[in-house]
């Protein structure tokens, strides 16, 4: 065989081998961009309280003191329980705080935001739980004398905070509106 032909074949084989694209290229991390419609709020009246809720949420009444706000498109539910205060405010507050801090095992951080509305006598706190905990929002509100409301947000999915973050932020705004519009019936 011709020497030039052999060199050409070797060059051709090496060129084919070196041009193969077996290299692993890292891709940047990205989050799913979920956009939800701008909520419109409507008044919900219960036996002992009233508040505004997003039209995106559906009220499920369980008992006179237990009800849920279901977010079917987000596969999320805000569980709400009302308790009359009867010389047991300390234990209600302690139970609400204890329930929140049971999530510290999986939580990266728990951010507490106090809420005070002296005009309508609504006092409470919102606890935002970051990380792969079972519940990302816990809150409670009271008038300190007769009424106490406790709430917890859960998703119908394994907790993956990165995936549910947009829905958590959306519902967090709804919880803020709920607290701002909360009125006790006397």
């Amino acid at each position: 065989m011709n020497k030039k032909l052999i060199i050409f074949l070797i060059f051709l084989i090496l060129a084919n081998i070196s041009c193969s694209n077996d290299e692993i290229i890292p891709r940047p991390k990205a989050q799913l961009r979920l956009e939800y419609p701008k909520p419109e709020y409507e008044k919900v009246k219960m036996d002992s309280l009233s508040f505004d809720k997003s039209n995106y949420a559906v009220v499920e009444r369980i008992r006179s003191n237990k009800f849920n706000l279901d977010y079917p498109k987000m596969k999320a539910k805000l569980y709400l329980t009302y308790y009359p205060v009867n010389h047991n405010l300390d234990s209600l507050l302690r139970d609400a705080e204890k329930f929140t801090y049971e999530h510290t095992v999986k939580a990266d951080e728990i951010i507490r935001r106090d809420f005070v509305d002296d005009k309508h006598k609504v006092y409470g706190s919102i606890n935002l739980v970051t990380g792969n905990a079972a519940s990302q929002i816990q809150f409670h509100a009271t008038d300190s004398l007769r009424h106490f409301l406790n709430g917890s947000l859960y998703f119908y999915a394994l907790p993956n905070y990165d995936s549910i973050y947009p829905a958590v932020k959306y519902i967090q705004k709804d919880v803020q509106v709920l607290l701002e519009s909360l009125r006790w019936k006397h």
Side-chain angles (χ1 to χ4, degrees), residues 153-170:
L153 174 66
Y154 288 90
F155 287 87
Y156 297 114
L158 287 175
N160 183 345
Y161 190 69
D162 291 341
S163 298
I164 61 174
Y165 181 76
V168 170
K169 295 308 281 181
Y170 184 91

Side-chain angles (χ1 to χ4, degrees), residues 102-177:
E102 286 177 358
H103 296 283
T104 56
V105 174
K106 292 283 187 173
D108 293 336
E109 181 179 21
I110 297 176
I111 302 163
R112 180 186 171 118
R113 294 189 179 149
D114 291 328
F115 181 84
V116 175
D117 179 353
D118 286 323
K119 180 179 177 185
H120 298 103
K121 305 219 180 301
V122 179
Y123 312 100
S125 67
I126 302 172
N127 293 294
L128 306 172
V129 182
T130 62
N132 294 333
S135 175
Q136 283 67 37
I137 298 174
Q138 303 277 323
F139 73 93
H140 65 270
T142 184
D143 67 348
S144 300
L145 298 173
R146 298 172 52 184
H147 306 281
F148 188 88
L149 180 67
N150 196 24
S152 307
L153 174 66
Y154 288 90
F155 287 87
Y156 297 114
L158 287 175
N160 183 345
Y161 190 69
D162 291 341
S163 298
I164 61 174
Y165 181 76
V168 170
K169 295 308 281 181
Y170 184 91
I171 297 172
Q172 179 184 336
K173 291 175 189 171
D174 283 358
V175 169
Q176 187 70 33
V177 168

Side-chain angles (χ1 to χ4, degrees), residues 35-41 54-56 74 170 173-174:
E35 292 187 19
Y36 301 106
K38 185 175 168 111
E40 294 178 21
Y41 293 94
S54 165
N55 61 339
Y56 205 59
M74 293 182 200
Y170 184 91
K173 291 175 189 171
D174 283 358

Side-chain angles (χ1 to χ4, degrees), residues 1-185:
M1 240 193 198
N2 187 347
K3 193 174 186 182
K4 287 184 180 179
L5 183 61
I6 294 174
I7 292 174
F8 176 74
L9 288 174
I10 291 173
F11 177 77
L12 190 62
I13 291 170
L14 288 174
N16 270 341
I17 292 172
S18 68
C19 289
S20 69
N21 196 2
D22 292 336
E23 181 181 345
I24 297 174
I25 299 172
R27 305 276 186 232
K29 286 190 174 189
Q31 291 184 352
L32 181 62
R33 184 180 173 114
L34 298 173
E35 292 187 19
Y36 301 106
K38 185 175 168 111
E40 294 178 21
Y41 293 94
E42 53 194 32
K43 184 70 66 188
V44 174
K45 294 180 181 182
M46 297 294 187
D47 297 339
S48 301
L49 53 92
S50 66
F51 58 88
D52 292 345
K53 72 146 190 88
S54 165
N55 61 339
Y56 205 59
V58 177
V59 176
E60 298 175 340
R61 187 145 185 170
I62 309 302
R63 290 192 299 267
S64 63
N65 72 324
K66 288 187 181 275
F67 51 99
N68 304 326
L69 294 181
D70 187 30
Y71 292 82
K73 292 184 180 176
M74 293 182 200
K75 297 187 175 162
K77 195 171 282 197
L78 191 59
Y79 292 87
L80 302 164
T81 307
Y82 169 82
Y83 300 97
V85 173
N86 192 12
H87 304 292
N88 60 345
L89 182 61
D90 285 343
S91 67
L92 290 169
L93 288 168
R94 193 173 28 257
D95 288 347
E97 292 296 320
K98 180 182 170 191
F99 188 67
T100 296
Y101 286 96
E102 286 177 358
H103 296 283
T104 56
V105 174
K106 292 283 187 173
D108 293 336
E109 181 179 21
I110 297 176
I111 302 163
R112 180 186 171 118
R113 294 189 179 149
D114 291 328
F115 181 84
V116 175
D117 179 353
D118 286 323
K119 180 179 177 185
H120 298 103
K121 305 219 180 301
V122 179
Y123 312 100
S125 67
I126 302 172
N127 293 294
L128 306 172
V129 182
T130 62
N132 294 333
S135 175
Q136 283 67 37
I137 298 174
Q138 303 277 323
F139 73 93
H140 65 270
T142 184
D143 67 348
S144 300
L145 298 173
R146 298 172 52 184
H147 306 281
F148 188 88
L149 180 67
N150 196 24
S152 307
L153 174 66
Y154 288 90
F155 287 87
Y156 297 114
L158 287 175
N160 183 345
Y161 190 69
D162 291 341
S163 298
I164 61 174
Y165 181 76
V168 170
K169 295 308 281 181
Y170 184 91
I171 297 172
Q172 179 184 336
K173 291 175 189 171
D174 283 358
V175 169
Q176 187 70 33
V177 168
L178 184 152
L179 287 174
E180 290 171 357
S181 65
L182 184 61
R183 302 296 178 264
W184 310 112
K185 292 183 183 174

